[in-house]
Amino acid sequence: MLLKCYKNFINGAYLANSSGETFEVINPATGKVIYQVEVADEKIKQQAITSAQQGFAKWSAMSATQRSRLLLKAVALLRERNDELAKIEVLDTGKPWQEASVVDVESGADSIEFFAGLAPGIEGNQQPIDGDFYYTRRDPLGICAGIGAWNYPLQIACWKAAPALACGNSMIFKPSEETPLGALKLAEIFTEAGIPDGVFNVVQGAGEVGAWLSHHEDIAKISFTGEVNTGKKAMTAAASTLKDVTMELGGKSPLIIFDDADIDNAVSAAMLGNFYTQGEICTNGTRVFVQKSAYPKFIEKLVQRTSQNIIVGDPMAPETNFGALISRKHFNTVLDYIKVGVKEGATLLHGGKSIQPENASEGYFIAPTIFTDCTDEMTICREEIFGPVMSILTFDNEDEVINRANSTKYGLAAGVFT
Ligand code: NAD
């Protein structure tokens, strides 16, 4: 079967590269190649910059109200095409349709709607000084680059485009090479909504294209979502031209459960915070601290509900609530972390192995995994795994748990049940 090959999106249209270089995209639930994408070569890169410069000139000259109006048209189109776009996200990421059909497109649209609403209200100020006055105004920066991760591809493209475009900037966006299609669909929608050509461009490729964006002197700002180590590289590159940066990186967030908490509710949070999107969420509460007196009850309910309620399988099946990991490589990384957890002495209470669901036997599935008897020093409690692996730790009192919860090199999120 001849696979579709997507091009880069430049100046309001798809543009072919000169090199002919392409890469393949795999559906994680089947292990099969579903389409190909052209890599951004020199020609595409140059055209992307020219296009974003021209887009910026047109877009920044418009009033904030005009920009807001066009962005709101894009919001309406996103909502209208929810199911079509959600399906793309399911096939690219392996996450359940149950989630993508109500969260991914919707939250992306919400983000654009929010910033479109703010845009007309953005103003400078004026201040009297010695009988005279000075004033400030808020000007757009110019070209902003967005670099995305693969777990929420369309949503990330939306939330990076939203503030940048609302404030009058143009954007060159590079989605993750694992999930490149959602951003192209967003570009099509922006164009259809009447946003001028060149305002939102999509370049495709792996780290090399991201590094090119981070270094480029004509790009004023970079907004990056990905791992801490990649973020450090992007930030270092951005420093070479003193770009503004926004970094949305990884985490190893604590979820603290005190013995006076509603335990059913806390169990729900621990499950959502470790198994939603099969654990591939940056803010996940992967270090679950449970007060010792609540521990037996918590564990009993957690294991019972994890065994009974999680349905692993073909992500497009309506009953599936737990999908496939993004790639064979990531699947192996997560399994390696599980082995390290066992080796370092944690008790594997649930899961811990790959599974082959009947309706998706070739996919990269790992069972929801729960470790107990964890200690703060264990690798599984220190490093981001980005998969369905929950580590449970116990504590005696508040001061102790706050200290331990904060003792991490990551920031990002935290939860408390009490
Ligand atoms: P990653 O760091 O491997 O890749 C992210 C992006 O960076 C990709 O588009 C990649 O092609 C690009 N890239 C690779 N090398 C680069 C370089 N040298 N310069 C510039 N760009 C480069 O991350 P991932 O595996 O795609 O995503 C998972 C990570 O993303 C996890 O750590 C997760 O916590 C994080 N994440 C964070 C948030 C947040 O909002 N904080 C949201 C989603 C995901």
Side-chain angles (χ1 to χ4, degrees), residues 147-152 156 159 174-178 205-212 214 222 224-231 233-234 237 247-251 280-283 326 330 384 386 412:
I147 298 177
W150 44 255
N151 60 338
Y152 279 77
I156 291 174
W159 88 41
K174 189 199 89 62
S176 164
E177 60 276 25
E178 316 265 15
E208 183 271 325
V209 180
W212 166 75
S214 320
I222 179 155
F224 174 90
T225 299
E227 282 177 17
V228 168
N229 285 330
T230 327
K233 287 186 206 161
M247 290 282 143
E248 300 178 314
L249 307 178
E280 296 170 328
I281 295 195
C282 53
T283 47
I326 187 70
H330 188 53
E384 184 186 44
F386 218 55
L412 227 47

Side-chain angles (χ1 to χ4, degrees), residues 336-370:
D336 285 347
Y337 269 115
I338 293 170
K339 278 189 211 142
V340 170
V342 172
K343 194 165 158 229
E344 292 184 2
T347 304
L348 187 56
L349 191 66
H350 190 274
K353 54 183 191 311
S354 65
I355 30 181
Q356 290 80 38
E358 254 176 45
N359 59 3
S361 58
E362 303 296 315
Y364 314 134
F365 296 91
I366 294 181
T369 297
I370 303 170

